[in-house]
Amino acid sequence: MFLDLDGDGPQYAQLTRALKGAILDGRMAAGARLPPTRELAQELEVSRTTVLAAYEQLRAEGFINGRVGSGSYVTRLQIAPALQPADGETVPPASRYAERARRLRNRGIAGMHHGLRYDLLYGDPVTNPALNAAWGRELSRAAAYSPLKVTSSWGLPALRQQICDYLARRRGVQARPENLLIVTGTQQAYALCARALLDEGDTVVLEEPHYFGAHHVLDAHGANFLPVRTDDDGLICSDLPDVPPKLISVTPSHQFPTGAVMSLPRRLELLRYAASKHCWIVEDDYDGELRYDGHPLAALRSLDESDRVIYVGTFSKTLFGALRLGYMVLPTALCNDFNTAKYLIDMSSPGIEQAALAHFMESGGFERHLRHARRELKTRREALIEGLRRHAGDRVQIVHSPAGMHVVAWLNGYDHARAEALIAYAHDRGLGLHPIAPHYLAPPSRPGLLLGYCNLSTTELREAMRLFGECLAAVPAAAG
């Protein structure tokens, strides 16, 4: 008989799978007699012990039965004909959540220019070879000394205390460990907000523009969105609705993606609104530490006297993307609900990584890395802007924002179709350009680009800007 062994694992396991497949697809009918073990071993050029082990496994699983003095026979299993797996897009969604998730916009923005030499991708932190070695040492130490059991869903106490100390020193936030929840990054923080605070149809205020990842998470949970405009002073609080939303999502320290900083009057106005309307604020402080013109600004949470602000921070932006650890500082009234939601999602965040990060912070390694990152990013940002001014000139408008990991450049005279042609042409030349439009619920009046500078050296950034200038000349604002 023909049996194709797949070469994966021990021979008896390969033979077991091959025989099982022949039974399930009908090549060996119910009641059929299996070849004697010696005969099959000779035919397949395997040992008889291998065949005996395979038969024994099939007998234990009920696929065959043995008759003394007669041999082994296929059991009558009442197997229906095998069905071809259905295409996921042709099967109706199994839940309202799945239906909404299918409607989401492109989730592959980060990979749209994968493999290009000059990809101006935004959002990835600066690479620091010294950090690799330091983190390897911290992981080894943590693995040797950490208990190998599940960490509390709240997170490792030592890490929570270190984060509280850091927030008090650097962000002006007075937090207690019992109000701090460790999560696996900003995406999970938004998912917990949705689970703990929102029912389908509840209104969420989003900054316009906004971080599309937050929009996706909340959209999949059935939120009803109300976009509120932003300007150079951040969210325009006078546009907030009279009927209170359930949740307001803001990035006050460095508005994403425009880079605006919410002014103090706007911050106080927003806090008064939340207190009077009894709604919650999510403060996404994704890169508040990365400022190049002075000390980091105090967080919105530091001004919150009514305990309405949910503060979200992440180490994926300050250290490296593969480190899926972040944290939430929660209003006391919400602590138990959020902790329960976290427990139900994944029980707890990785314990060894938490222990490594706690020691890295305690030893001063984290803040040394931040100082290095700020110096390096400031140099790269200056190289990018200098290159833009030299090679793009008045064809772009650069938005001033001495912080973060990207620069916004509006394309003067371009419409959206022409901007897409520019992006496609640049891609073919090895330059990855990223549009700002995906971060708007309604497309902006003119196209713009988010130019990230973390992944390229100053030399590469200068070359990328020279190439950008060539692309602008080849695909000008006016066709022809």
Side-chain angles (χ1 to χ4, degrees):
M1 64 183 302
F2 176 77
L3 292 170
D4 185 18
L5 304 189
D6 57 25
D8 183 14
Q11 283 189 325
Y12 86 89
Q14 297 179 48
L15 180 55
T16 301
R17 288 194 295 272
L19 289 167
K20 195 181 298 184
I23 293 170
L24 291 173
D25 66 17
R27 284 181 287 135
M28 297 182 66
R33 183 174 182 271
L34 272 67
T37 54
R38 285 191 178 87
E39 179 182 317
L40 186 58
Q42 291 175 355
E43 181 178 339
L44 298 178
E45 297 182 346
V46 298
S47 71
R48 182 174 178 239
T49 302
T50 295
V51 180
L52 286 168
Y55 279 19
E56 184 60 34
Q57 182 65 37
L58 291 170
R59 192 173 294 112
E61 294 183 22
F63 283 90
I64 65 175
N65 55 56
R67 302 176 190 173
V68 178
S70 177
S72 297
Y73 295 83
V74 176
T75 305
R76 299 187 182 277
L77 297 174
Q78 297 182 340
I79 301 172
L83 297 176
Q84 291 296 322
D87 182 350
E89 294 303 317
T90 65
V91 175
S95 68
R96 291 191 298 273
Y97 179 93
E99 182 179 9
R100 291 188 296 266
R102 288 187 184 185
R103 295 198 301 263
L104 294 179
R105 289 177 288 177
N106 177 27
R107 291 167 290 175
I109 290 174
M112 65 185 293
H113 299 304
H114 180 72
L116 294 190
R117 183 177 181 185
Y118 303 114
D119 186 2
L120 297 171
L121 180 64
Y122 55 93
D124 283 350
V126 64
T127 54
N128 178 8
L131 178 61
N132 288 18
W135 185 247
R137 291 191 296 270
E138 294 293 354
L139 279 178
S140 295
R141 181 184 183 280
Y145 292 103
S146 298
L148 300 180
K149 60 181 181 180
V150 176
T151 308
S152 162
S153 53
W154 280 109
L156 195 70
L159 178 57
R160 291 156 64 200
Q161 184 62 61
Q162 286 300 321
I163 293 172
C164 288
D165 295 344
Y166 171 77
L167 290 175
R169 287 195 311 273
R170 297 295 182 182
R171 308 298 292 123
V173 174
Q174 301 298 322
R176 298 176 298 176
E178 55 265 34
N179 288 76
L180 199 140
L181 179 67
I182 302 298
V183 294
T184 54
T186 302
Q187 290 293 101
Q188 187 177 72
Y190 278 108
L192 291 176
C193 288
R195 292 195 176 205
L197 300 178
L198 301 178
D199 291 320
E200 289 176 310
D202 281 344
T203 299
V204 174
V205 164
L206 281 183
E207 297 172 311
E208 182 74 338
H210 53 270
Y211 169 49
F212 71 84
H215 171 262
H216 285 174
V217 172
L218 299 173
D219 192 15
H221 280 273
N224 177 42
F225 293 105
L226 177 64
V228 173
R229 296 174 300 149
T230 59
D231 60 16
D232 291 343
D233 289 322
L235 188 77
I236 301 175
C237 296
S238 59
D239 286 358
L240 290 169
D242 292 331
V243 178
K246 184 67 72 70
L247 190 66
I248 302 172
S249 176
V250 291
T251 50
S253 294
H254 186 227
Q255 202 281 327
F256 188 87
T258 67
V261 176
M262 186 180 287
S263 65
L264 180 59
R266 292 270 182 92
R267 292 176 185 232
L268 295 176
E269 186 179 358
L270 177 60
L271 291 171
R272 285 193 296 268
Y273 177 90
S276 64
K277 300 291 188 180
H278 303 289
C279 55
W280 303 104
I281 300 171
V282 178
E283 178 183 10
D284 183 357
D285 198 19
Y286 65 101
D287 66 355
E289 298 92 344
L290 300 176
R291 296 197 65 84
Y292 317 122
D293 60 350
H295 294 293
L297 302 174
L300 179 67
R301 170 80 189 186
S302 68
L303 302 170
D304 179 22
E305 296 181 352
S306 300
D307 209 18
R308 307 301 301 183
V309 175
I310 302 164
Y311 179 89
V312 178
T314 178
F315 294 101
S316 298
K317 300 297 185 187
T318 51
L319 289 173
F320 49 91
L323 180 62
R324 303 310 305 160
L325 286 177
Y327 54 90
M328 307 177 76
V329 179
L330 297 167
T332 300
L334 299 180
C335 284
N336 289 335
D337 290 341
F338 272 75
N339 182 42
T340 300
K342 166 68 177 176
Y343 174 81
L344 293 174
I345 287 177
D346 63 4
M347 191 171 291
S348 69
S349 298
I352 291 177
E353 285 86 343
Q354 289 187 63
L357 182 54
H359 187 262
F360 191 50
M361 296 182 75
E362 181 183 14
S363 68
F366 176 61
E367 294 194 46
R368 285 194 297 272
H369 166 73
L370 281 182
R371 289 193 293 271
H372 166 83
R374 279 193 289 265
R375 289 193 301 269
E376 181 62 29
L377 287 175
K378 182 179 180 181
T379 300
R380 296 187 189 191
R381 178 180 178 277
E382 290 170 350
L384 176 70
I385 292 176
E386 178 188 359
L388 275 174
R389 289 172 176 162
R390 175 178 299 178
H391 299 291
D394 59 4
R395 291 174 291 187
V396 301
Q397 177 188 343
I398 304 169
V399 177
H400 176 71
S401 178
M405 297 180 287
H406 70 268
V407 167
V408 174
W410 295 103
L411 295 168
N412 291 329
Y414 283 74
D415 59 22
H416 288 282
R418 198 65 180 159
E420 288 299 321
L422 172 66
I423 292 170
Y425 181 83
H427 178 94
D428 293 340
R429 297 288 305 278
L431 176 65
L433 301 176
H434 297 265
I436 197 172
H439 299 283
Y440 284 78
L441 289 181
S445 58
R446 58 173 171 163
L449 301 172
L450 297 183
L451 305 176
Y453 46 82
C454 288
N455 293 320
L456 301 177
S457 68
T458 54
T459 300
E460 290 171 325
L461 286 167
R462 293 188 185 102
E463 179 60 23
M465 290 302 96
R466 183 195 62 77
L467 184 56
F468 181 46
E470 293 178 0
C471 294
L472 288 169
V475 188

